[in-house]
Amino acid sequence: MANYWNQEIECMSREDMKKLQDERLVAQVKHVYENVEYYRNLMDEKGIKPEDIQSIDDIHKLPFLTKADLRDAYPYGLLAKPLSECVRIQSTSGTTGKRVVAFYTQNDIELWENCCARAIVAAGGTKDDVCQVAYGYGLFTGGPGLNGGSHKVGCLTLPMSSGNTERQIGFMRDLGSTIICCTPSYAAYIGETLHEMGLTPDDISLKAGIFGAEPWTEEMRKSIEKSLGIKAYDIYGLTETSGPGVSFECCEQTGMHINEDHFYPEIINPDTGEVLPEGEVGELVFTSLTKEAFPLLRYRTRDLCVLSRKKCSCGRTLIKMRKPMGRSDDMLIIRGVNVFPSQIETVLIEQGYSPNYLIEVDRVNNTDTLDISVEMNPEQFSDKMKVMQEQEKALALAIKTMLGINPKVHLVSPKSITRSEGKAVRVVDRRKLHD
Ligand code: ADP
Ligand code: ZN
């Protein structure tokens, strides 16, 4: 059984969706050209006028925007509406550098919350649910976005924000929360705490979780589903395009449907900017078709991803994106080999370790070093040095098989790696400090 928040849009025929996107793009380009000097200059430099954009097929003519442009234009340079018409400011988490700010009109908030409502309904949410929002509130978009979506659906909303994990579990039990929204790393921590409190999934009423804001693996999904007794759904977004809700998972759990009536996706070759065909891995680029205050055209997310138009069993026709593999700038190049932290996470969980780990990269005598500290579960711990060394060797070998390079693995005692209540920091690249 599939439920939709906006069936007309979510199940629209391709032709109708294309028509809607054509109209919206033409109007949006005009709006941006007339109101955003920064982007007008980029278009003028390329010799592109709004009249050159007649349909979505012309989108490739438009210049890209990058995070560097956002920093250049900070704070008001990309604003397309007078401040008097804006009602909200949110900001990125600053995971990869200086924060950027985004502005919203009342309509922008509406469309964002509607996108989050689609995600909640796709995860089985109805007005009878109790939705605990444990993403951070404040400038970060996670809390406010899901909070708004939850209100729209009519769920009884618990604006918990992140942190104070035992209290989260206390309220979850007292108030019978059925849906939880937070980062996947925080969900794993909540699951762990639940078990430490001597409780099991039978002691709570959760049925679904909506997790995003950071990369996570299929193995992590399975582990969270088990520890909380739920179905775990992915949700994706970024502050620059609104926040969470740009795309969301349905019951099929094979990638996220993009709300392409608002956010037009492209995949490009990150080196050449060339648009790649469906099915190829590349950098995800979004054009906001409807936002008024902060309408970014062809914004390069740096997230590496694949798009798919394969028919989905849920009935939605919205294009799907695969779980992002991480950002192009998350990719580590170690001894010439490309390494994604998510590959390491996959091996750790497959080998029965917890998702609590820290990857440290350095350069010693001109050679890159890769050290991975991995936390043991209490039952994996042994006071025999030899046993521990053998476990470390076995894990190092499994990682070497996956990556092609030899790491140094350090098994560390239970609870010694800091838990994350928001976006987890799992990589320390000390080479950058020497440069
Ligand atoms: P920052 O870029 O400072 O982290 P945001 O809070 O806006 O700021 O985070 C957006 C980024 O978070 C995305 O570009 C993406 O890299 C990551 N992200 C969000 N949702 C997901 C998800 N479901 N899977 C993987 N990565 C995600
Ligand atoms: Zn689907």
Side-chain angles (χ1 to χ4, degrees):
M1 185 203 63
N3 277 316
Y4 313 103
W5 176 247
N6 183 339
Q7 183 163 6
E8 190 194 334
I9 292 284
E10 292 174 57
C11 304
M12 192 173 247
S13 73
R14 276 298 344 128
E15 304 78 73
D16 288 351
M17 179 57 75
K18 162 108 179 29
K19 230 164 78 203
L20 187 67
Q21 291 173 331
D22 288 343
E23 280 162 18
R24 289 182 166 179
L25 180 70
V26 170
Q28 186 70 306
V29 171
K30 195 160 170 284
H31 169 58
V32 171
Y33 192 84
E34 282 168 6
N35 295 292
V36 184
E37 189 190 345
Y38 191 97
Y39 200 77
R40 179 163 62 240
N41 290 340
L42 292 180
M43 282 177 65
D44 288 345
E45 269 166 39
K46 273 195 105 182
I48 300 293
K49 293 274 171 258
E51 307 78 74
D52 297 323
I53 308 299
Q54 296 290 333
S55 80
I56 212 85
D57 304 321
D58 295 324
I59 198 167
H60 65 96
K61 297 178 184 163
L62 292 169
F64 291 116
L65 274 174
T66 63
K67 200 132 179 167
D69 289 310
L70 265 62
R71 288 176 181 144
D72 255 10
Y74 176 91
Y76 300 126
L78 289 163
L79 195 62
K81 282 279 185 185
L83 277 178
S84 58
E85 286 190 42
C86 297
V87 297
R88 180 91 68 81
I89 292 178
Q90 304 276 172
S91 160
T92 59
S93 320
T95 313
T96 57
K98 192 177 159 211
R99 288 164 184 266
V100 301
V101 290
F103 301 84
Y104 304 71
T105 62
Q106 193 63 55
N107 287 338
D108 293 338
I109 298 276
E110 276 291 305
L111 90 84
W112 176 26
E113 293 182 350
N114 274 312
C115 287
C116 289
R118 290 183 196 175
I120 293 171
V121 171
T126 70
K127 65 191 239 327
D128 297 321
D129 279 294
V130 180
C131 180
Q132 181 160 342
V133 182
Y135 282 108
Y137 279 65
L139 282 172
F140 176 53
T141 53
L146 270 309
N147 190 92
S150 173
H151 272 222
K152 283 219 178 277
V153 175
C155 302
L156 179 57
T157 310
L158 254 70
M160 293 291 293
S161 197
S162 60
N164 207 334
T165 309
E166 294 204 0
R167 194 179 62 184
Q168 299 268 359
I169 294 172
F171 269 112
M172 188 182 285
R173 299 186 72 201
D174 296 346
L175 304 171
S177 306
T178 51
I179 299 179
I180 178 132
C181 309
C182 61
T183 60
S185 53
Y186 192 41
Y189 182 24
I190 295 176
E192 184 183 9
T193 309
L194 182 83
H195 291 85
E196 277 169 12
M197 289 165 75
L199 302 170
T200 72
D202 291 339
D203 297 304
I204 55 174
S205 313
L206 284 185
K207 61 174 187 188
I210 303 177
F211 306 130
E214 63 183 2
W216 53 310
T217 55
E218 275 308 316
E219 290 69 25
M220 179 94 155
R221 185 205 307 262
K222 284 184 211 118
S223 140
I224 297 171
E225 288 190 330
K226 190 157 161 249
S227 74
L228 289 173
I230 58 171
K231 210 164 161 180
Y233 296 87
D234 205 353
I235 185 168
Y236 168 93
L238 56 165
T239 314
E240 294 90 322
T241 54
S242 285
V246 168
S247 64
F248 60 95
E249 228 170 21
C250 62
C251 51
E252 206 184 85
Q253 290 182 306
T254 53
M256 296 177 270
H257 287 285
I258 297 173
N259 285 315
E260 58 177 314
D261 52 327
H262 295 300
F263 308 105
Y264 183 80
E266 297 170 274
I267 292 282
I268 62 162
N269 174 328
D271 300 323
T272 63
E274 175 206 357
V275 179
L276 298 176
E278 181 193 325
E280 287 196 25
V281 182
E283 180 179 349
L284 192 53
V285 172
F286 279 112
T287 293
S288 155
L289 297 174
T290 48
K291 276 174 59 192
E292 299 176 337
F294 200 66
L296 302 186
L297 304 182
R298 298 199 91 200
Y299 179 65
R300 295 183 56 161
T301 62
R302 300 187 292 178
D303 291 322
L304 295 176
C305 202
V306 179
L307 296 179
S308 161
R309 284 231 174 263
K310 229 173 108 211
K311 197 163 183 286
C312 189
S313 59
C314 74
R316 288 179 183 78
T317 49
L318 299 171
I319 192 167
K320 277 161 94 167
M321 59 183 262
R322 207 195 280 162
K323 232 176 206 322
M325 314 167 56
R327 307 187 208 216
S328 50
D329 41 8
D330 275 347
M331 189 182 79
L332 297 159
I333 303 181
I334 304 172
R335 288 171 231 153
V337 176
N338 297 350
V339 174
F340 280 98
S342 56
Q343 294 174 298
I344 297 176
E345 183 176 298
T346 300
V347 178
L348 295 184
I349 302 181
E350 267 171 12
Q351 302 284 319
Y353 290 91
S354 71
N356 300 306
Y357 59 94
L358 184 68
I359 301 168
E360 291 167 282
V361 187
D362 206 343
R363 186 169 293 143
V364 180
N365 300 330
N366 290 322
T367 304
D368 295 330
T369 58
L370 170 61
D371 285 74
I372 309 172
S373 302
V374 183
E375 212 180 273
M376 289 172 288
N377 304 320
E379 52 289 1
Q380 286 162 330
F381 183 75
S382 162
D383 50 10
K384 293 209 182 65
M385 185 83 133
K386 191 144 183 276
V387 176
M388 297 292 298
Q389 280 172 346
E390 262 155 28
Q391 287 190 44
E392 283 176 344
K393 247 169 69 194
L395 187 51
L397 183 66
I399 294 171
K400 184 179 177 216
T401 310
M402 166 71 112
L403 303 179
I405 51 168
N406 235 329
K408 218 187 228 141
V409 169
H410 312 271
L411 290 177
V412 299
S413 46
K415 298 296 232 178
S416 56
I417 291 180
T418 317
R419 300 292 186 266
S420 153
E421 294 171 352
K423 295 192 189 221
V425 178
R426 294 194 168 111
V427 180
V428 180
D429 192 345
R430 296 215 169 76
R431 296 175 300 185
K432 290 191 182 142
L433 304 175
H434 310 319
D435 289 344

